[in-house]
Amino acid sequence: MKKMNYFEKLAAQGYYIIAEIGVNYYDIAEKENMSLVDAAKLMIAEAKNAGADAVKFQTYTARGLAAKDSPSYWDTSEVPLTSQYEFFKLYEKMGRDDYEVLSRFAEETGIDFLSTPFDFDAADYLESMMSLYKISSSDLTNHPFVRYISRKNMPVILSVGAANAREIDETVSLIHENNEKQLTLLHCVLEYPTPYEHANLKRISALSRKYPECIIGYSDHTKPDECMDVIKSAYLMGAKVIEKHFTLDKTIKGKNDHFHSMDPADLRKIKSGLEFIKSIMGKEEINCLETEETARRNARRSIVAERNISKGEIIAEDMLTFKRPGTGIAPYDLAKIIGKAAKCDIGEDTILQYEMIE
């Protein structure tokens, strides 16, 4: 069977989950005494088994990403390094050949492979390995880079964390001018981790109203809550694409994004939660459900004789009452029978039918 692409999976499933491995596999490799590639493969397989639709890595070099005096923007009590350059320098060992191996492995595993490029070279060599591009919030105002990626005319997912309305408008317009594919925008808060009270999920519905032509999603940086309610709430607000950092060990301290990442158990909760929400959402039509027909018939009321009514007697309202089931003349048709003659004898507690009335 032909593998569904991003848009087909969204249409068929109703959501699309991206497990962002990022560079967390470096620490898994160290912990498990594995090679970087093997650790990344392990995380790809675990993400697939837990229900993700895609895995996403991050492709950069420290030199191409940050000046040497770039300060940190994360919680330094969780990750103590205060220099972006020194931090990114630790996680730049993977190259084109390695990503090709991971892309092929993801294909064999049955999960989409993505990696966010942070420079033009990475954007070029990743092109043949991916079916869409993810652009980081940090590059939203990097218009030369956004334009370059957009002109490849592959689907684009753009995170819009820490952006104001004008900046988003300008970048969305730039992408539309250079790309024919439907754009996906991810609400995102650039706090690592994001306090629950800062999640600002109403921005999802605001983005949906402002950009009806776009698919809207959510890139989450909160710490996983017990029932994954943040993610489920985002979905209910209209987020169809869910991206969250992924790890195999949330207890790893002082490195990368493990402290706010989901693990396979969390991912399974998200998957089952979204499936449950889908099952209860139903359809927008305002109609009686087929499954309600018996209750509709038996729990509603009919016009019932309050006393014996003789054949030929003129029916008055005080001769009648209203009782279940609703298999006779409905109370809203009371005016149609008041003043009419009984065609036959009607016993007390009889459910009236039209054939009993002249």
Side-chain angles (χ1 to χ4, degrees), residues 95-114:
R96 176 175 188 156
D97 292 345
D98 299 308
Y99 289 114
E100 285 179 343
V101 169
L102 298 183
S103 175
R104 287 194 299 270
F105 180 77
E107 179 71 23
E108 293 163 2
T109 304
I111 192 168
D112 292 339
F113 171 85
L114 307 174

Side-chain angles (χ1 to χ4, degrees), residues 24 29 41 45 54 88-89 106 121 126 158 163 242 251 289 303 332:
N24 280 347
K41 284 182 175 181
F88 295 133
K89 194 72 179 168
D121 184 52
L126 288 167
L158 172 69
I242 300 296
T251 68
L289 299 175
I303 300 173
Y332 56 68

